[in-house]
Amino acid sequence: MSFIKTIGITKRYDNGEPPALEDVNLEIKKGEIFCIMGHSGAGKTTLLRILALLEKPDSGEYYFDGVKVSWNDNLRKHITMVFQIPVMFNTTVFKNIAYGLKIRGYSKEEIKKKVEEVLELVRLQGYENRRAKYLSGGEKQRVAIARAIVLEPKLLLMDEPTANLDPTNSAIIEEIVKEIVKEKETTILFSTHNLFQAKRLAHRVAHIYKGKIIEIGKTKEVFERP
Ligand code: ADP
Ligand code: ADP
């Protein structure tokens, strides 16, 4: 059974324009790193926002771990998303990461333990009391990843997480992604327009073009096709 399955997802923002997504059929396995590749405007963000339950498609079905999604239920707690441009709360790194845990009612001790564990994972040990908005772009993105992963989602969605970062910071984030999948029971779906990144990270890839999936398969096979 697929962990994520979509059938015929279609989304139109404006009736005059071609649809942002058209008949998207996707299957993702548990524990997989799956990449959506495509140019700017291809529909990557729209697809990720729908899978994150932040947006509703016009038609189509979405099954999450065998459960049919209705876009208004409590499956949301199993899904977190990292955006292309990280938005930091104007407070410390600790509180930025602890926020969601606090809402979920974890104790102070549990929060401290979990935050410290994820800070290590994103290589920001000792950053607890730094003000998040003064960090570098790469550090902010790592805080955003920590904030998403600390909630132990079953599905982590990352929308072009390294699009605004230099190669060094991109490489760190790629390492973190691999570690998350190895250490946590998390399935990761990320988007990129960087084919090299897709090739380095993903087990399987889909190529989206003008809202349609035009190619899908194991990374190795897709990149070796003539
Ligand atoms: P990508 O993430 O691959 O750059 P998007 O999903 O952002 O692609 O966009 C897909 C298409 O949908 C584009 O044509 C874009 O202009 C359009 N689009 C995206 N968001 C909106 C919106 N909120 N309102 C109208 N059109 C949108
Ligand atoms: P608020 O006043 O908004 O409720 P607090 O200052 O009480 O926020 O912080 C929220 C929780 O996070 C508290 O349990 C606090 O002890 C803990 N906390 C805040 N910063 C740190 C830190 N740097 N290291 C460990 N725990 C922290």
Side-chain angles (χ1 to χ4, degrees), residues 1-4 27-34 186-188 203-204 218:
M1 188 187 68
S2 302
F3 175 57
I4 296 291
E27 286 194 48
I28 302 173
K29 292 179 212 125
K30 198 163 238 163
E32 195 163 53
I33 304 179
F34 190 95
T186 305
T187 302
I188 297 186
H203 301 126
R204 289 196 311 132
K218 286 184 181 163

Side-chain angles (χ1 to χ4, degrees), residues 80-82 97 143-153 156-157:
T80 56
M81 180 152 164
V82 170
I97 299 170
V143 171
I145 293 170
R147 192 163 58 194
I149 206 70
V150 81
L151 298 172
E152 291 169 16
L156 174 64
L157 298 158

Side-chain angles (χ1 to χ4, degrees), residues 5 13 34 45 51 54 57 72 80 87 91-92 99 112 117 119 121 136 148 162-163 203 224 226:
K5 184 177 168 90
Y13 284 109
F34 190 95
T45 301
L51 296 176
L54 297 173
N72 55 6
T80 56
V87 177
T91 177
T92 62
Y99 181 75
K112 193 165 189 295
E117 189 204 319
L119 277 172
L121 182 67
S136 72
T162 64
H203 301 126
E224 278 172 5

Side-chain angles (χ1 to χ4, degrees), residues 11-153:
K11 173 78 183 181
R12 204 180 280 272
Y13 284 109
D14 192 328
N15 283 329
E17 299 289 321
L21 292 177
E22 196 175 348
D23 193 26
V24 170
N25 301 299
L26 210 59
E27 286 194 48
I28 302 173
K29 292 179 212 125
K30 198 163 238 163
E32 195 163 53
I33 304 179
F34 190 95
C35 177
I36 305 282
M37 306 184 289
H39 293 300
S40 177
K44 303 184 295 299
T45 301
T46 303
L47 178 57
L48 266 67
R49 287 179 56 83
I50 287 171
L51 296 176
L53 311 181
L54 297 173
E55 202 148 357
K56 228 182 141 168
D58 298 325
S59 55
E61 290 164 19
Y62 173 12
Y63 292 86
F64 183 91
D65 214 357
V67 178
K68 187 168 175 179
V69 169
S70 59
W71 277 276
N72 55 6
D73 53 27
N74 62 358
L75 287 175
R76 201 165 267 139
K77 67 173 184 281
H78 299 302
I79 306 171
T80 56
M81 180 152 164
V82 170
F83 301 90
Q84 186 173 338
I85 298 166
V87 177
M88 297 286 108
F89 303 128
N90 183 17
T91 177
T92 62
V93 167
F94 185 95
K95 286 190 187 176
N96 264 270
I97 299 170
Y99 181 75
L101 294 171
K102 224 175 147 178
I103 287 178
R104 291 183 188 194
Y106 284 94
S107 71
K108 279 187 184 188
E109 295 71 32
E110 284 172 309
I111 292 175
K112 193 165 189 295
K113 186 167 164 282
K114 284 177 184 289
V115 172
E116 277 169 11
E117 189 204 319
V118 291
L119 277 172
E120 193 175 322
L121 182 67
V122 301
R123 295 132 169 82
L124 290 176
Q125 303 99 308
Y127 275 58
E128 287 84 344
N129 297 316
R130 298 274 293 270
R131 291 199 81 78
K133 71 170 184 176
Y134 297 123
L135 300 176
S136 72
E139 289 166 343
K140 280 182 188 161
Q141 194 57 296
R142 278 139 71 192
V143 171
I145 293 170
R147 192 163 58 194
I149 206 70
V150 81
L151 298 172
E152 291 169 16

Side-chain angles (χ1 to χ4, degrees), residues 140-181:
K140 280 182 188 161
Q141 194 57 296
R142 278 139 71 192
V143 171
I145 293 170
R147 192 163 58 194
I149 206 70
V150 81
L151 298 172
E152 291 169 16
K154 290 186 186 174
L155 175 65
L156 174 64
L157 298 158
M158 306 177 93
D159 189 15
E160 301 219 40
T162 64
N164 295 309
L165 304 182
D166 58 53
T168 307
N169 275 295
S170 299
I172 294 173
I173 286 183
E174 289 181 14
E175 287 308 311
I176 292 169
V177 166
K178 286 187 208 160
E179 237 166 87
I180 291 169
V181 163

